[in-house]
Amino acid sequence: MRFTIDKEALMKGLTLVSKAIPPKAEIPILSNFKLDMTERGLEITGSDNNITISTVVPFMIGEKEIIRNSQEGSTLVAAKILIDVVRSLDDEFVTFELADTSLLRIENSRSNFELNSIRAEEYPDIDLSIVGASLTLPGKDVQALAESTAFAASVKEARPILTAVNLEANNFKLTATATDTARLARKSIDIESDVRFVANIAAKKLLDIVRSFEEDDEVTIAVNEKKAVFAFGNSVISTRLTSGDYPNTKNVFPKVFNYSLEVNSQEFLKAMERASILSTEYEGVVKLMMDQDEVKMFSRSAILGSAKEKLNVFQYSGEHLDISFKASFVADAIRACKCEDVTISFVGEMKAFVVRNIKDDSIEMLVTPLRS
């Protein structure tokens, strides 16, 4: 194996694939990149046995030559060391040469490294085939699904299924749902085909996946009973599904509301942030007190004192209502809506309430109130 490659393009590929390399691999061989010089270009693969990423650095990008003087071959090399070495080099191009099955030379005009390597045959078999129910859609739509919901997934491993985002395709819609039982986030997008699948994907992994997309990427998602595969550009990411049945959340959103508050997102967020400063004993809990003429936030601490905030711009309908909640949960919901104004709709003092984007009914957030 031999090739000379553009350093910037190589670093981009290594950085993407490194997301699948475990910090401490339970299987030592998985601490390595698999490098394959093929007729397509340099294929870089990494895996932790749960998520696998493979990308190809092509010979040409547009009219720019990326790889030259190539000879096909494969090897394994320590991922962290390889990234550190390539990052340290100054030249635009860097040359790789596999001297024998256990030595990989990396050099430019003034630097020379000889890294121990391992025969590529030692790497476990990786299946990145795109099989199962599939659909193709803009990468930005998949990003919106994940980023609007993943924050609401649980971070506790007691119920692993709740650490996942539930992706469900049916009736010409793709819907993402996440909940930790105290809050729930859901977003749907329209799709052109009536493909049907359900996939529970670890929230952190899903965010890593969608943040790997380029702005204009078209993404193919394929799902079978064991894994979900995302193919985009020159890259493929496969992730194992989280096992278990996701809770039935189809009917958790109230149909009728007795109170409604429309506010400016930024004003509400800033007021809530200030009001929660003193709520250290109560994990950032604030009380929202609403009337037709006045909307206030209140927090207190037996040690530090109290704080009160008034909103300047609001529209409220309904009788007087006081309701307490964890400020960070409502802040996350409002930010996920990504809009100038939001509507917060209430049923009653101790009933879950809903945060919505006024101009986009494809996204809705449910938050459980707290006693105060």
Side-chain angles (χ1 to χ4, degrees):
M1 180 179 76
R2 189 182 192 283
F3 57 90
T4 298
I5 188 168
D6 177 88
K7 175 193 166 182
E8 183 179 349
L10 174 60
M11 275 301 302
K12 184 177 179 180
L14 294 175
T15 301
L16 170 60
V17 176
S18 69
K19 295 178 181 180
I21 304 293
K24 294 182 179 180
E26 293 182 5
I27 303 173
I29 202 76
L30 296 181
S31 62
N32 295 278
F33 285 127
K34 185 171 185 276
L35 305 180
D36 293 290
M37 190 65 228
T38 71
E39 71 280 356
R40 297 175 59 210
L42 178 65
E43 183 174 350
I44 309 168
T45 302
S47 179
D48 67 0
N49 249 0
N50 289 308
I51 186 169
T52 299
I53 303 178
S54 181
T55 192
V56 175
V57 183
F59 287 94
M60 302 286 294
I61 297 179
E63 297 183 357
K64 182 178 180 180
E65 185 179 44
I66 301 299
I67 300 174
R68 58 177 182 251
N69 302 328
S70 65
Q71 180 181 339
E72 293 185 8
S74 303
T75 194
L76 306 179
V77 63
K80 185 180 185 305
I81 294 299
L82 182 58
I83 284 182
D84 288 346
V85 167
V86 174
R87 185 184 288 120
S88 73
L89 299 174
D90 295 328
D91 289 3
E92 181 181 1
F93 282 85
V94 56
T95 296
F96 285 67
E97 183 174 10
L98 189 61
D100 55 44
T101 57
S102 60
L103 187 67
L104 179 66
R105 292 197 182 101
I106 304 172
E107 58 187 3
N108 63 5
S109 61
R110 57 181 178 177
S111 302
N112 183 289
F113 292 86
E114 294 187 344
L115 303 184
N116 293 332
S117 59
I118 303 171
R119 293 170 61 249
E121 291 77 12
E122 301 291 327
Y123 206 72
D125 291 335
I126 299 293
D127 180 12
L128 291 172
S129 56
I130 300 175
V131 295
S134 66
L135 73 159
T136 300
L137 63 165
K140 62 183 180 180
D141 288 350
V142 188
Q143 287 177 329
L145 282 174
E147 292 176 353
S148 298
T149 56
F151 69 89
S154 177
V155 296
K156 299 178 181 178
E157 297 292 337
R159 292 183 65 186
I161 193 66
L162 296 183
T163 65
V165 174
N166 175 260
L167 282 183
E168 181 173 0
N170 63 25
N171 297 325
F172 297 94
K173 284 188 178 292
L174 179 61
T175 301
T177 304
T179 182
D180 60 4
T181 72
R183 56 180 169 172
L184 185 147
R186 175 177 293 153
K187 180 173 174 61
S188 298
I189 59 172
D190 294 326
I191 54 179
E192 295 181 355
S193 60
D194 192 20
V195 62
R196 295 172 183 265
F197 64 72
V198 177
N200 300 316
I201 303 173
K204 291 181 180 179
K205 293 186 185 300
L206 182 60
L207 286 174
D208 278 344
I209 290 169
V210 301
R211 289 168 181 170
S212 301
F213 303 158
E214 298 288 347
E215 183 176 354
D216 298 324
D217 278 338
E218 290 286 310
V219 178
T220 296
I221 305 173
V223 175
N224 61 32
E225 65 277 5
K226 292 183 178 180
K227 67 179 182 178
V229 177
F230 297 77
F232 55 99
N234 293 316
S235 304
V236 179
I237 301 179
S238 171
T239 181
R240 287 187 179 180
L241 302 182
T242 303
S243 60
D245 295 324
Y246 205 79
N248 185 351
T249 63
K250 295 187 185 301
N251 298 313
V252 299
F253 284 87
K255 301 293 192 295
V256 178
F257 299 96
N258 300 316
Y259 316 85
S260 178
L261 176 66
E262 183 178 327
V263 293
N264 175 270
S265 298
Q266 288 305 310
E267 184 192 7
F268 195 84
L269 285 170
K270 290 177 181 177
M272 193 163 49
E273 181 181 357
R274 290 191 294 267
S276 63
I277 290 174
L278 299 186
S279 185
T280 55
E281 299 160 52
Y282 304 99
E283 297 184 334
V285 174
V286 300
K287 176 181 283 189
L288 186 62
M289 299 173 286
M290 296 169 284
D291 281 302
Q292 296 280 351
D293 300 325
E294 186 176 55
V295 173
K296 299 180 291 186
M297 289 184 203
F298 176 79
S299 71
R300 62 183 174 81
S301 164
I303 299 173
L304 301 174
S306 64
K308 186 179 290 185
E309 286 280 332
K310 289 184 179 181
L311 294 185
N312 292 321
V313 180
F314 66 90
Q315 184 173 332
Y316 177 71
S317 62
E319 300 297 323
H320 175 84
L321 178 67
D322 292 347
I323 194 164
S324 299
F325 50 80
K326 193 167 183 176
S328 62
F329 283 7
V330 175
D332 287 343
I334 291 174
R335 292 190 185 100
C337 287
K338 296 181 179 179
C339 58
E340 185 175 353
D341 300 305
V342 296
T343 295
I344 310 176
S345 303
F346 307 89
V347 177
E349 183 178 351
M350 285 308 298
K351 301 290 186 180
F353 57 92
V354 176
V355 181
R356 286 193 174 99
N357 180 332
I358 292 174
K359 298 180 180 179
D360 182 5
D361 61 5
S362 73
I363 181 170
E364 51 187 357
M365 313 288 174
L366 189 77
V367 180
T368 302
L370 300 171
R371 295 192 183 277
S372 65

